[in-house]
Amino acid sequence: MGKMNNFLYAGKACGLKKNKDLDLGLMISKFPLRVSAVFTKNKVKAAPVVISKKNSKNIIKALIVNSGNANACNGKQGMEDALRVVKSLAKEAGIDESSVFTCSTGVIGERLNVSFIEHAIPDLLNSADEEGFDNFTKAIMTTDTFPKTVSKSFSINGSQYQIRGSAKGSGMIMPDMATMLAFIFTDLPIKKETADKMFKECVEASFNSITVDGDTSTNDTASFFYPASADTFIDLTGNDTESKHNYQIVKNALFEVCYELAKMIVIDGEGATKFIKVTVVNASTEAGAKKTALTIANSPLFKTMITGEDLNWGRIMAAVGRAGVPLKAENIDIYINGKIIVENSTASKKLTKDIEKTILSPKEIDVEIDLKSGNKKRSVLTCNLTHGYIDINASYRS
Amino acid sequence: MGKMNNFLYAGKACGLKKNKDLDLGLMISKFPLRVSAVFTKNKVKAAPVVISKKNSKNIIKALIVNSGNANACNGKQGMEDALRVVKSLAKEAGIDESSVFTCSTGVIGERLNVSFIEHAIPDLLNSADEEGFDNFTKAIMTTDTFPKTVSKSFSINGSQYQIRGSAKGSGMIMPDMATMLAFIFTDLPIKKETADKMFKECVEASFNSITVDGDTSTNDTASFFYPASADTFIDLTGNDTESKHNYQIVKNALFEVCYELAKMIVIDGEGATKFIKVTVVNASTEAGAKKTALTIANSPLFKTMITGEDLNWGRIMAAVGRAGVPLKAENIDIYINGKIIVENSTASKKLTKDIEKTILSPKEIDVEIDLKSGNKKRSVLTCNLTHGYIDINASYRS
């Protein structure tokens, strides 16, 4: 783990989850950190989102996350409760309240039982260590069926560094400049403005390009923590070749962590049995490519078609036409797992009965739409819609 | 049926549906008609949509509709096939090709078997009579579980008139200035420009305010047919009290027919077990009210909550916040079936355990969102999301 031992983690069961699963996660840093973060664009924001957005401008020393309760839509009480959590942690840890980053995830509109959290904080702080990352990751899960962590090593000027992250999904996934909960940590000191830019770009093509069900939560937050020590900054923004090279190394590692976590969230989408990548190529704008890919990815008829393994490709054409992006309606090609299905908006002559029967059998489905109207491209990751989604969501609170 | 005997109807099984259900419907008029119509806004349009859009400017003598095949995404071949259908009917009936209105509904991307239709046309014409309306309605059904017809009588200047309509749903329902297939007929002669305006307004608050799954088809068409005889026009556009009164009578009857058909489509939404009306009140704009209502109505988490009868109202708040409409996030009230659930964006103090347990039990759920930011209002009709939706759509073609 190298210098990642700046970061100490813990995860506990404090009682918010009725089944006694871990529900309270902590990261506390030996050294001052900075954070780059993107938050939900939902106009209804949970109290911890408001606090963390404010504190993300400051030096960060600790992160506290609870699952089992979103602390959203609890009005002034919700804000008071979230502040109490921050205050308790700050007091016990001997750090400034303004240096705490906090997140909550779970049911909306039920009051957070702060005393459960307060009660657990001393124990949480005592148990925090370099090995606590797995417990931290388990503590942030809700309907996730497996914990999601990724780590990458990279080398800059002969020194080894690491980026590692954990995330939770797995419904209400349709981020817009933000996402579910994702926490990413590195031991490389970076200037905040550099990291902000880099992280925003990585999020856009990862967490911000996935959808499970088109819903956006009130609590989505993706955050990237790194040492704040100005005396050890490595230049990542210079115009010299070395700076540019180093910037690319860090960005690649960060993007890989974001993308793999994003992919895990989709694979673990509520009830999902298939992973789907929808790519729109040769669009006239990147925004249009993304909008078209998202329209397909969010279509329940497309998602159920994948579940049924029934190549009713007209549903893809209907979604393309509905996306509201300028296109030549008679020019569209569709490829699935590399095989051409639709050519110039009609069934391809290469589409045999055999292909039709088996093309949707694999666990991973790659759909590519060629709009032939430009040179822009975007991918969106999603999953299929199954009975499992309905089972999970018809009884989420019980 | 009074003077509705201008209209002769028939429905036959011509072989497009593999199960030998009725799949070819005809209306032929003894007198020249005009039609007001709204079509899908999907950029991918089926061939019959293109033809009917063009012919809707002309005098109309007949309407031919097939189910079992959408004749969409079949390229030039699709257009040739649709024109062959029109030509055959025109020839057999001795009418002009330009006076035929045609629609198709069913699977996209499979070639229409025109010879089945051509073969059935003579028999269809022979059997057309005033009593054929029920067969016509059955012939336009796809995954609908029941035929949908409504009729209303009204009186103008002492004379009785009638409006009657039939429609088919029941998935891929998310109209945008258009809808599934709906055919409405009246024996009242109306000026085309008057009917166009009146019908557009009625469609906006009926067919255009429903959603089953957020998908929009390539074939959606709503149409309103009426006698074209200029010598018997009743003035509906004058500035005198009588004209205004008459206009309102006709519009009310037309709206009721549209609204009741729209409601039937939603009730018969694929897999639906509950009918849901989402009303947004006190919005700053009507468009914002509609956008918010549609965002809630299309949220799979909201729809599955209704299925589970589990009052997880945070999902409604999350959808309101995601709709992208300006609002005061701490001011929102939510009522369900008349009971207040959320007050100023937090759980209402009047929300008892008892209400929570039973409020979602009824078959009809009325959700009202008060945005307290203006005086505009819009309703959207929808249904819940169930296992049935997935069963139907995972195997639509087989």
Side-chain angles (χ1 to χ4, degrees):
Chain A
M1 285 289 168
K3 286 174 288 175
M4 289 300 279
N5 56 18
N6 292 352
F7 298 92
L8 311 178
Y9 304 90
K12 290 282 170 192
C14 74
L16 293 170
K17 282 182 186 164
K18 286 162 198 159
N19 62 4
K20 299 193 176 165
D21 277 355
L22 303 192
D23 52 16
L24 190 61
L26 172 80
M27 179 283 296
I28 188 149
S29 169
K30 293 184 192 165
F31 300 105
L33 302 175
R34 286 282 181 188
V35 64
S36 298
V38 285
F39 299 94
T40 182
K41 280 203 163 175
N42 198 307
K43 289 198 165 60
V44 176
K45 286 173 178 52
V49 169
V50 177
I51 295 170
S52 291
K53 204 165 182 173
K54 192 172 149 231
N55 285 358
S56 66
K57 297 180 186 77
N58 310 330
I59 289 290
I60 296 294
K61 293 293 304 264
L63 159 69
I64 185 161
V65 193
N66 75 273
S67 54
N69 186 311
N71 194 11
C73 302
N74 290 321
K76 283 177 190 165
Q77 185 66 61
M79 185 52 79
E80 280 168 26
D81 290 340
L83 288 169
R84 249 178 80 196
V85 171
V86 168
K87 200 170 209 133
S88 299
L89 176 62
K91 198 181 161 197
E92 283 290 329
I95 59 175
D96 204 273
E97 284 174 37
S98 69
S99 74
V100 175
F101 197 93
T102 182
C103 297
S104 297
T105 178
V107 177
I108 297 172
E110 284 179 12
R111 195 179 160 189
L112 183 66
N113 194 323
V114 184
S115 59
F116 283 0
I117 296 178
E118 285 178 329
H119 194 257
I121 283 177
D123 193 23
L124 202 67
L125 280 165
N126 280 334
S127 67
D129 63 22
E130 295 154 32
E131 309 305 316
F133 193 62
D134 289 347
N135 277 346
F136 170 83
T137 303
K138 280 177 196 154
I140 68 173
M141 290 165 66
T142 54
T143 52
D144 302 67
T145 64
F146 61 87
K148 295 161 186 71
T149 70
V150 174
S151 90
K152 299 279 168 193
S153 292
F154 57 96
S155 156
I156 299 226
N157 301 346
S159 298
Q160 282 289 314
Y161 297 92
Q162 204 187 13
I163 293 183
R164 69 172 163 192
S166 70
K168 60 110 356 198
S170 58
M172 220 185 242
I173 297 291
M174 164 72 166
D176 186 9
M177 268 326 291
T179 176
M180 45 334 96
L181 298 184
F183 306 103
I184 298 166
F185 310 92
T186 187
D187 49 5
L188 177 76
I190 316 179
K191 282 186 189 159
K192 184 161 172 17
E193 55 269 41
T194 311
D196 281 352
K197 178 176 174 285
M198 187 186 275
F199 189 53
K200 204 174 158 182
E201 285 170 15
C202 289
V203 166
E204 176 55 28
S206 59
F207 300 121
N208 216 358
S209 292
I210 61 176
T211 179
V212 168
D213 52 11
D215 261 316
T216 304
S217 108
T218 50
N219 294 56
D220 300 336
T221 302
S223 49
F224 175 39
F225 300 84
Y226 40 88
S229 33
D231 56 333
T232 55
F233 282 152
I234 289 167
D235 190 7
L236 295 175
T237 51
N239 261 325
D240 55 305
T241 319
E242 194 178 290
S243 282
K244 285 183 181 171
H245 181 65
N246 287 342
Y247 181 89
Q248 211 48 54
I249 288 174
V250 180
K251 192 178 166 186
N252 286 353
L254 180 61
F255 177 71
E256 279 174 39
V257 169
C258 292
Y259 187 83
E260 286 180 31
L261 287 173
K263 189 173 171 181
M264 281 182 195
I265 288 171
V266 168
I267 287 173
D268 198 19
E270 287 172 342
T273 57
K274 303 232 187 198
F275 171 75
I276 307 165
K277 184 174 183 178
V278 180
T279 305
V280 173
V281 302
N282 299 322
S284 53
T285 65
E286 214 177 303
K290 186 176 180 188
K291 197 176 170 197
T292 304
L294 270 177
T295 304
I296 299 164
N298 278 326
S299 157
L301 290 172
F302 168 72
K303 285 167 177 292
T304 48
M305 168 186 100
I306 302 290
T307 302
E309 301 185 0
D310 174 36
L311 186 65
N312 196 348
W313 56 260
R315 294 177 180 179
I316 302 175
M317 288 294 298
V320 170
R322 168 167 69 88
V325 171
L327 52 82
K328 287 170 196 137
E330 65 287 354
N331 271 4
I332 295 151
D333 291 354
I334 301 176
Y335 297 79
I336 296 182
N337 287 351
K339 293 217 159 44
I340 190 157
I341 304 296
V342 172
E343 219 174 328
N344 292 320
S345 300
T346 67
S348 167
K349 279 172 188 142
K350 289 176 189 147
L351 175 60
T352 62
K353 283 279 166 208
D354 219 47
I355 292 175
E356 204 170 332
K357 266 187 195 155
T358 57
I359 193 81
L360 296 181
S361 313
K363 282 273 176 203
E364 301 216 354
I365 304 289
D366 209 277
V367 180
E368 188 175 298
I369 322 296
D370 188 344
L371 295 183
K372 298 180 200 161
S373 54
N375 58 9
K376 300 298 178 186
K377 176 180 170 175
R378 276 302 293 274
S379 290
V380 163
L381 312 181
T382 191
C383 57
N384 58 335
L385 174 62
T386 69
H387 285 224
Y389 182 88
I390 289 169
D391 289 335
I392 293 165
N393 285 301
S395 61
Y396 176 52
R397 302 188 314 158
S398 26
Chain B
M1 284 289 169
K3 287 175 287 174
M4 289 299 280
N5 56 18
N6 292 352
F7 299 93
L8 310 178
Y9 303 91
K12 289 282 170 192
C14 75
L16 294 170
K17 281 183 187 162
K18 286 163 197 157
N19 62 5
K20 299 193 177 165
D21 277 354
L22 303 192
D23 52 17
L24 190 61
L26 172 80
M27 180 283 296
I28 187 150
S29 169
K30 293 184 192 166
F31 301 104
L33 302 174
R34 286 282 182 188
V35 65
S36 298
V38 286
F39 299 94
T40 182
K41 279 202 164 176
N42 199 307
K43 289 198 166 59
V44 177
K45 286 173 178 53
V49 169
V50 177
I51 295 170
S52 290
K53 204 165 182 173
K54 192 172 150 232
N55 285 358
S56 65
K57 298 179 185 77
N58 310 330
I59 289 290
I60 296 294
K61 293 293 304 265
L63 158 70
I64 184 161
V65 193
N66 73 273
S67 54
N69 187 311
N71 194 12
C73 302
N74 290 320
K76 282 178 191 165
Q77 185 67 62
M79 185 52 79
E80 281 169 26
D81 289 342
L83 287 169
R84 249 179 79 196
V85 171
V86 168
K87 201 172 208 133
S88 298
L89 176 63
K91 197 181 162 198
E92 282 292 327
I95 59 176
D96 204 273
E97 284 173 36
S98 69
S99 73
V100 175
F101 197 94
T102 181
C103 297
S104 297
T105 179
V107 177
I108 296 172
E110 285 179 11
R111 196 181 159 187
L112 183 68
N113 194 323
V114 184
S115 59
F116 283 180
I117 297 179
E118 286 179 329
H119 194 257
I121 282 177
D123 194 21
L124 202 67
L125 280 166
N126 280 333
S127 66
D129 62 23
E130 295 153 32
E131 309 304 317
F133 193 63
D134 289 347
N135 277 346
F136 170 83
T137 303
K138 280 178 197 154
I140 68 174
M141 289 165 67
T142 54
T143 54
D144 302 68
T145 64
F146 61 88
K148 296 161 186 70
T149 70
V150 175
S151 90
K152 299 278 168 193
S153 292
F154 58 95
S155 156
I156 299 228
N157 301 346
S159 297
Q160 283 288 315
Y161 297 93
Q162 204 187 14
I163 294 183
R164 71 172 163 192
S166 70
K168 58 107 359 195
S170 59
M172 220 184 242
I173 297 292
M174 164 71 166
D176 187 10
M177 271 323 295
T179 176
M180 46 333 97
L181 298 185
F183 305 103
I184 298 166
F185 310 91
T186 187
D187 49 3
L188 177 76
I190 317 179
K191 282 185 189 161
K192 185 162 172 15
E193 55 268 42
T194 312
D196 281 352
K197 178 176 174 287
M198 187 186 276
F199 188 53
K200 205 174 159 182
E201 286 170 15
C202 289
V203 166
E204 177 55 28
S206 59
F207 300 121
N208 216 359
S209 292
I210 60 177
T211 179
V212 168
D213 52 10
D215 261 317
T216 304
S217 109
T218 49
N219 293 56
D220 300 336
T221 302
S223 49
F224 175 39
F225 299 84
Y226 40 88
S229 31
D231 55 334
T232 55
F233 282 152
I234 289 168
D235 190 8
L236 295 176
T237 50
N239 261 325
D240 55 306
T241 318
E242 194 178 291
S243 281
K244 285 181 179 172
H245 180 67
N246 286 342
Y247 181 89
Q248 212 47 53
I249 288 174
V250 180
K251 192 178 167 188
N252 286 352
L254 180 61
F255 177 71
E256 280 174 37
V257 168
C258 291
Y259 187 83
E260 286 180 31
L261 287 173
K263 189 173 170 182
M264 281 182 195
I265 287 171
V266 168
I267 288 173
D268 198 19
E270 286 170 344
T273 56
K274 304 233 188 199
F275 170 75
I276 308 165
K277 184 175 183 176
V278 180
T279 304
V280 173
V281 302
N282 299 322
S284 52
T285 65
E286 213 177 305
K290 186 177 180 187
K291 197 175 171 197
T292 305
L294 270 177
T295 304
I296 300 164
N298 279 326
S299 157
L301 291 173
F302 168 72
K303 285 167 177 294
T304 47
M305 169 186 98
I306 302 289
T307 302
E309 300 185 0
D310 174 35
L311 186 63
N312 196 348
W313 55 260
R315 294 177 180 178
I316 301 176
M317 288 295 297
V320 170
R322 168 167 68 89
V325 171
L327 52 82
K328 287 170 196 138
E330 64 287 354
N331 271 4
I332 294 151
D333 291 354
I334 300 177
Y335 297 79
I336 296 182
N337 287 351
K339 295 217 157 49
I340 190 156
I341 304 296
V342 172
E343 220 173 327
N344 292 321
S345 300
T346 68
S348 167
K349 279 171 187 144
K350 290 178 190 148
L351 176 59
T352 61
K353 283 277 165 208
D354 219 47
I355 292 175
E356 204 170 332
K357 268 187 194 155
T358 56
I359 192 81
L360 296 181
S361 313
K363 282 273 176 201
E364 301 216 353
I365 304 289
D366 209 277
V367 180
E368 189 175 296
I369 322 296
D370 188 344
L371 295 183
K372 298 180 201 160
S373 54
N375 59 8
K376 300 298 179 187
K377 176 180 170 174
R378 275 303 292 273
S379 291
V380 163
L381 312 181
T382 190
C383 57
N384 58 336
L385 175 62
T386 69
H387 286 219
Y389 182 87
I390 290 169
D391 289 335
I392 293 165
N393 285 302
S395 61
Y396 177 52
R397 301 188 314 158
S398 28

